[in-house]
Amino acid sequence: MACVALLLSGWISVRAQPLDKVTVAGWSQPISEITNLLAEPDKGFFKARGIALDYVPGTGGGAAIQTLLAGQADVAFTDPASFYLALDKGEKLVAIYDIYPQNVFNVVALKGSGIRTAADLRGKRIGVYSLSSGTYQNLLVLLHQVGLSEKDVTIQPTGLLNFAPLMQGQVDATAATDTGLLVARAKGLGEANVIEVRDQLNLSSDIFVVKESYYERNRPLLQRFLAGYRDSAAWMIARPEEAARIAVSRAINGRDEAVNLEIIKLRNLSSVSPVTEREGLGHFDIEAMQKGADTFRSLGLIARPLAMKAVVRSDLVPARDGAP
């Protein structure tokens, strides 16, 4: 009996250990495409790894980086463009997980606008989510690839619901994502021309970034965090219908379960690549990240050469189909 009591006491002690808090600075509000994060109260993927997850909403990848640098978050859910720009300014950052290895950004114009290619954007009004968002940075890439700059267009921050100004004629085109376009079509966007940024540069859409000092001090914690995220992403890929149901109560834009499902399916597709198929979810394609950095420099978007091998790490990412 004494042995049983001792074992039970030890089990209770382990169960009672406080969770380690990790705060994620997001690029967005709690929307359906990040249901795998929002489902934490329901599924407990991070709790199972000993982590109490907190999410701080944002207004773009640049804003997520600023929240991180201000010490208000431990991990930034951001885009490579914002990562490059911060590194160019001398910030000491490390990318630790490739969330969406596919480029999901686009520029959308109504059929009657006459805008069919990036070159047709000259002199046009273009909406972006914010000036610190991936929509803005990817728009600049698209413009520069055809010899244009932001001086050749009028860029208007329109907020997360950036298709409303397009549908109301307040802008000629809008920079968006695949999921934003899906929602807009469901709301009656009508026939539109879509210019895909990936046709110019298929760079990852979102990555997890931390301060270099935090990475050095907290590797075991980050390893558990990434395992929890990997588990949540794998669940959403395997159980999209369940995720769509949970999004109804967890996402601010999740009232329509059918739309949630389509959004989640798109985001699941962007989570995989030949590299993740081979090595597991979250593993980086270093060559693609380097090509992105080199492209940004060649286009004049950053001034310094950046060596991705020094700042992009996959060492804490769980192995394919395995524990961390």
Side-chain angles (χ1 to χ4, degrees):
M1 289 293 292
C3 290
V4 171
L6 184 61
L7 288 171
L8 183 59
S9 174
W11 180 81
I12 291 173
S13 176
V14 170
R15 296 286 290 181
Q17 287 181 355
L19 301 176
D20 295 311
K21 184 178 179 181
V22 175
T23 300
V24 175
W27 69 266
S28 73
Q29 297 298 311
I31 55 179
S32 54
E33 64 184 74
I34 59 167
T35 296
N36 59 310
L37 282 177
L38 305 182
E40 177 61 11
D42 308 281
K43 305 299 295 185
F45 295 113
F46 293 90
K47 185 177 181 180
R49 301 286 181 173
I51 290 173
L53 179 70
D54 189 26
Y55 182 81
V56 179
T59 55
I65 292 278
Q66 290 306 312
T67 301
L68 175 73
L69 294 175
Q72 298 171 357
D74 306 304
V75 181
F77 191 132
T78 187
D79 57 276
S82 297
F83 179 53
Y84 297 152
L85 291 170
L87 292 172
D88 190 50
K89 293 176 182 177
E91 301 294 349
K92 302 295 184 181
L93 301 172
V94 177
I96 60 171
Y97 189 100
D98 196 345
I99 303 171
Y100 307 133
Q102 306 293 341
N103 194 323
V104 301
F105 290 95
N106 52 46
V107 173
V108 181
L110 298 178
K111 280 284 187 182
S113 67
I115 299 172
R116 294 179 178 81
T117 69
D120 296 328
L121 294 171
R122 182 187 295 274
K124 303 299 184 181
R125 301 164 299 165
I126 309 170
V128 296
Y129 176 29
S130 78
L131 296 179
S132 61
S133 70
T135 57
Y136 173 68
Q137 304 299 345
N138 278 272
L139 171 61
L140 294 186
V141 169
L142 195 64
L143 292 173
H144 279 276
Q145 293 281 22
V146 295
L148 301 178
S149 74
E150 56 187 313
K151 294 180 181 179
D152 297 307
V153 300
T154 300
I155 298 178
Q156 298 181 14
T158 55
L160 183 59
L161 301 177
N162 53 342
F163 274 94
L166 177 66
M167 295 166 72
Q168 295 164 6
Q170 297 169 11
V171 295
D172 303 302
T174 194
T177 64
D178 54 354
T179 54
L181 176 58
L182 185 146
V183 171
R185 282 174 166 159
K187 293 183 177 180
L189 174 65
E191 292 189 18
N193 293 323
V194 182
I195 306 168
E196 300 285 0
V197 179
R198 65 170 172 261
D199 293 339
Q200 301 290 337
L201 181 64
N202 192 19
L203 181 63
S204 299
S205 295
D206 287 291
I207 57 179
F208 279 137
V209 171
V210 297
K211 293 180 182 177
E212 184 180 67
S213 58
Y214 187 86
Y215 168 84
E216 295 295 346
R217 293 195 311 266
N218 297 280
R219 292 190 190 194
L221 174 59
L222 285 172
Q223 193 172 37
R224 287 189 284 124
F225 167 77
L226 294 183
Y229 185 84
R230 184 277 313 272
D231 294 344
S232 74
W235 161 76
M236 195 162 80
I237 291 171
R239 303 289 296 276
E241 292 82 6
E242 181 185 6
R245 290 193 298 272
I246 289 176
V248 172
S249 59
R250 297 295 181 187
I252 61 171
N253 64 336
R255 293 183 180 180
D256 189 323
E257 187 175 322
V259 173
N260 292 344
L261 181 58
E262 294 306 310
I263 289 174
I264 286 167
K265 286 180 177 179
L266 280 176
R267 203 43 70 244
N268 287 343
L269 287 174
S270 66
S271 300
V272 297
S273 69
V275 171
T276 67
E277 290 288 341
R278 183 174 66 251
E279 300 181 28
L281 292 173
H283 282 263
F284 281 98
D285 182 338
I286 296 290
E287 291 184 3
M289 288 291 290
Q290 187 62 56
K291 181 180 179 181
D294 294 344
T295 299
F296 268 64
R297 185 165 183 250
S298 68
L299 296 176
L301 299 176
I302 59 175
R304 297 169 22 170
L306 301 175
M308 289 296 101
K309 286 185 178 180
V311 293
V312 174
R313 315 281 171 81
S314 289
D315 58 319
L316 303 182
V317 181
R320 186 177 183 270
D321 299 327

